[in-house]
Amino acid sequence: MVSLTFMLAIYFTFIINIPILSELNSILSKLDNVKVGFIISLPIFFTAAFNFLFNLFSWPYITRPFFILLLVVSSVVSYAMYNYGVIFDYGMIENVFETDSSEASSYLSAYSVFWTATMGVLPAFIVSLVKFKPVTRPIWFVVTKLLSMIISLIIIAIIAFFLYKDYSSVGRNNSHLKKMIIPTHYIYSAVKYINNTYFSEPIEYQQIGLDAHQSEKALKDAEEKPTLFVFVLGETARSHNYEVNGYNRPTNQHTRDLGMISFKDVSSCGTATAVSVPCMFSALPKSNYDKQIATNQDNFLDIMKRAGISLLWKENDGGDKGVARHIPLKEIARNVENQFCNGSTCYDMALLENFEQDVDNMPGNRMLTIHLIGSHGPTYFQRYPESKRFFTPDCPRSDIENCTTEQIVNTYDNTILYTDYVLSETVSKLKKLESRYNTALLYISDHGESLGENGMYLHGAPYSLAPEHQTKVPMMVWASEGFKKAKRLNTSCLAQAAEKNSYSQDNIFHSMLGIMDVETQVYNADMDIFSQCRRS
């Protein structure tokens, strides 16, 4: 059993931890002077550390199932980290636990299955065949185990004594390295998430904005011509790839002539949907956002509902992350096959079916939220139909790391262009309703995406380490003439602010309450993107 533990420690060092070894190689190759002893010590240090830790879990009856599970899960983590640059910190674990089956299946490919099978399943199968000798002398078994652990600690101590300065320097200058060690960091993050989610003491739900009500003018306008506001929540769209924000490709050819205002500098609250969406809808700013508090507190939808605004959420991205739990919600049935759905996923145009009927069923001033699947990867090619395949050659596969950079960017840009088409069609529907409603639309993405820059793909990187591609998101506003008149909104002023000022998803809570004329003490006009451009 002690021998198996040592062999597994070696396997995890040289095979499972290929991502961190590759990262270390990249870091050390850029340094002017690196001790040969430091380089040689790295695999020895990892092997000793893993040997010590693995011995803690290497006992009769639990050794086999523990390491079988550890090998399979670690191979999956290794695949994602090496091929996509994904780091499995707390935020990523949260995202994994909250991913639905349809979204999870999009990551499957022949390459990912082969990687997991050869690096995880095969060695796990070998472990299942290992025959352990019966422990006839328990004391000798424990002594042998302790001796192995003590030798490991001695090796670690010797390395620390002679090379502490080198380890400290590299570690402090590259703090993300500790988050790349498999399996220690993802297990730590998973245990922390499970504890916080299922075993922590529940927080009492807090209602805020109990004084919320619509302004007298808003209520009076609703009697003759109600407000119809469409809030479009995007998915995985990065500002960098928007033509209206300076990108050199026609990714906004459907909306660029509609008079939409694009906000050039908008930051997300997180780099994954599980963080950004609840944060965006809550009253908590990113600086002190706490999901537990946000989950157990009213968001701006709850406050709008209290003020008497009609609300509806239409879902095509696998879940509202709890923000629409108190309002009507319609989820697109992705298990059907029609012009928009293939039995597992649907194009976002499906969200506009029965649009007029949905609006008619909502009395008074109303807000419709539609949650797009947008540019969710890695199966970007499934986000747009063949007729909207504008940029070619694209990458019609989920293992995007095996496509060229040109193909990946083309496929991603097609998703941005298709979202632009959906937005233009939404505006078209709103224009047809202008005689009955004062109509407007706001579009914002939850987070961005990496497309291979610096070896990173997808999203979910720790915010402090995430590139701007993952944290800068598009935000666009369109308003009808009737809406601008009713809200006394100066769009020239708004366009100027959108060009010059920096905003974040912290502004959404207050901006939505403000533009819908909800009066409450929790509203802060200074955080409202519209307030400075509305005449009193």
Side-chain angles (χ1 to χ4, degrees):
M1 204 171 292
V2 173
S3 299
L4 175 66
T5 302
F6 179 66
M7 291 172 65
L8 286 169
I10 295 175
Y11 183 77
F12 268 78
T13 295
F14 289 97
I15 305 299
I16 295 294
N17 273 283
I18 283 178
I20 192 171
L21 293 179
S22 176
E23 180 70 4
L24 280 167
N25 179 62
S26 176
I27 291 170
L28 297 180
S29 64
K30 296 175 184 177
L31 299 179
D32 295 330
N33 187 23
V34 183
K35 295 178 182 177
V36 176
F38 174 61
I39 297 174
I40 295 173
S41 76
L42 285 168
I44 299 174
F45 176 86
F46 278 118
T47 301
F50 287 139
N51 185 64
F52 176 83
L53 292 173
F54 289 172
N55 265 292
L56 296 175
F57 300 92
S58 179
W59 299 94
Y61 305 111
I62 70 169
T63 297
R64 202 188 310 273
F66 174 79
F67 285 112
I68 287 174
L69 180 62
L70 192 68
L71 281 163
V72 175
V73 175
S74 295
S75 67
V76 174
V77 173
S78 179
Y79 168 80
M81 194 178 293
Y82 183 75
N83 291 288
Y84 297 139
V86 173
I87 293 179
F88 283 77
D89 64 344
Y90 185 90
M92 180 55 67
I93 293 296
E94 180 180 47
N95 208 36
V96 169
F97 272 84
E98 298 187 16
T99 296
D100 67 354
S101 57
S102 177
E103 183 178 329
S105 64
S106 68
Y107 292 89
L108 288 176
S109 65
Y111 181 51
S112 65
V113 171
F114 175 77
W115 181 293
T116 304
T118 55
M119 291 183 60
V121 177
L122 180 59
F125 177 70
I126 294 172
V127 169
S128 71
L129 298 178
V130 173
K131 294 183 179 180
F132 298 113
K133 295 180 179 179
V135 180
T136 56
R137 294 186 292 174
I139 295 178
W140 177 245
F141 172 76
V142 172
V143 169
T144 305
K145 179 183 286 289
L146 287 175
L147 184 61
S148 178
M149 295 171 72
I150 290 170
I151 292 173
S152 295
L153 289 177
I154 291 172
I155 291 172
I156 293 171
I158 292 172
I159 292 174
F161 180 80
F162 288 102
L163 298 167
Y164 175 80
K165 183 179 179 181
D166 302 82
Y167 276 84
S168 177
S169 176
V170 172
R172 288 177 180 176
N173 292 326
N174 304 276
S175 58
H176 65 287
L177 286 174
K178 64 182 179 182
K179 296 182 179 182
M180 295 182 68
I181 302 174
I182 306 172
T184 54
H185 195 75
Y186 84 76
I187 291 178
Y188 165 78
S189 299
V191 170
K192 185 178 178 182
Y193 173 81
I194 292 170
N195 180 64
N196 289 345
T197 305
Y198 303 106
F199 298 103
S200 61
E201 187 175 344
I203 297 175
E204 184 178 354
Y205 191 89
Q206 180 184 11
Q207 291 183 316
I208 61 174
L210 294 174
D211 60 336
H213 61 278
Q214 295 180 65
S215 69
E216 291 185 15
K217 183 182 183 304
L219 291 172
K220 185 177 180 180
D221 288 345
E223 295 175 2
E224 298 180 7
K225 195 176 182 183
T227 292
L228 169 57
F229 196 100
V230 177
F231 185 93
V232 184
L233 178 58
E235 170 66 51
T236 321
R238 67 189 208 177
S239 181
H240 177 81
N241 288 56
Y242 270 64
E243 176 189 358
V244 291
N245 293 340
Y247 191 45
N248 62 357
R249 306 184 86 182
T251 53
N252 294 114
Q253 54 188 280
H254 299 293
T255 63
R256 62 187 172 206
D257 297 323
L258 296 180
M260 295 191 81
I261 297 171
S262 179
F263 290 72
K264 301 297 191 294
D265 186 6
V266 181
S267 300
S268 67
C269 186
T271 61
T273 308
V275 176
S276 285
V277 171
C279 179
M280 187 193 317
F281 281 73
S282 79
L284 302 175
K286 178 186 179 300
S287 57
N288 66 338
Y289 173 72
D290 183 286
K291 186 179 180 181
Q292 239 187 337
I293 296 175
T295 301
N296 292 283
Q297 186 182 85
D298 286 342
N299 56 46
F300 76 73
L301 294 177
D302 300 313
I303 297 172
M304 283 186 180
K305 179 182 178 181
R306 184 173 295 120
I309 294 173
S310 295
L311 302 167
L312 174 64
W313 183 290
K314 297 191 74 173
E315 177 62 48
N316 189 38
D317 193 32
D320 63 304
K321 304 306 177 186
V323 300
R325 61 191 178 278
H326 298 142
I327 69 169
L329 185 151
K330 290 184 178 180
E331 187 165 5
I332 301 300
R334 292 176 290 175
N335 59 345
V336 301
E337 293 187 21
N338 54 37
Q339 61 174 327
F340 298 128
C341 305
N342 64 8
S344 62
T345 186
C346 296
Y347 302 129
D348 282 323
M349 277 299 293
L351 289 162
L352 298 186
E353 289 191 301
N354 303 316
F355 181 88
E356 294 82 0
Q357 182 181 343
D358 289 331
V359 170
D360 288 342
N361 291 335
M362 301 165 69
N365 292 319
R366 59 207 74 182
M367 189 176 84
L368 173 63
T369 301
I370 58 178
H371 190 190
L372 309 179
I373 197 169
S375 302
H376 202 294
T379 50
Y380 304 123
F381 70 97
Q382 292 185 352
R383 308 297 168 238
Y384 54 91
E386 178 65 25
S387 61
K388 299 300 179 183
R389 184 171 169 259
F390 184 82
F391 301 103
T392 58
D394 58 359
C395 174
R397 52 197 296 175
S398 60
D399 52 339
I400 56 174
E401 68 278 7
N402 291 318
C403 291
T404 66
T405 300
E406 179 191 13
Q407 289 175 315
I408 295 171
V409 172
N410 284 340
T411 315
Y412 183 80
D413 283 349
N414 281 333
T415 69
I416 298 296
L417 182 58
Y418 186 69
T419 293
D420 195 63
Y421 171 71
V422 174
L423 291 176
S424 71
E425 289 297 298
T426 308
V427 169
S428 178
K429 288 184 177 294
L430 291 176
K431 285 183 174 181
K432 292 177 182 178
L433 296 173
E434 280 188 58
S435 62
R436 297 166 53 197
Y437 304 100
N438 294 317
T439 58
L441 174 150
L442 183 144
Y443 164 73
I444 186 170
S445 182
D446 55 355
H447 54 78
E449 185 86 327
S450 288
L451 299 176
E453 299 88 1
N454 298 317
M456 295 184 71
Y457 293 89
L458 305 178
H459 53 267
Y463 203 93
S464 59
L465 302 174
E468 284 196 349
H469 293 119
Q470 293 190 32
T471 62
K472 293 295 182 180
V473 295
M475 184 167 75
M476 303 166 72
V477 171
W478 175 87
S480 67
E481 291 301 320
F483 183 90
K484 287 186 277 189
K485 182 178 179 181
K487 301 294 182 179
R488 299 185 176 94
L489 179 64
N490 184 332
T491 49
S492 295
C493 165
L494 190 64
Q496 189 175 16
E499 188 74 30
K500 294 182 178 180
N501 298 339
S502 296
Y503 297 96
S504 75
Q505 290 176 345
D506 289 350
N507 295 103
I508 296 300
F509 177 91
H510 303 281
S511 299
M512 291 301 97
L513 292 178
I515 201 64
M516 294 301 289
D517 291 313
V518 175
E519 298 179 346
T520 171
Q521 290 186 353
V522 297
Y523 165 74
N524 181 354
D526 292 337
M527 294 293 290
D528 181 352
I529 64 173
F530 302 105
S531 64
Q532 62 179 321
C533 297
R534 296 180 67 184
R535 300 186 304 275
S536 59

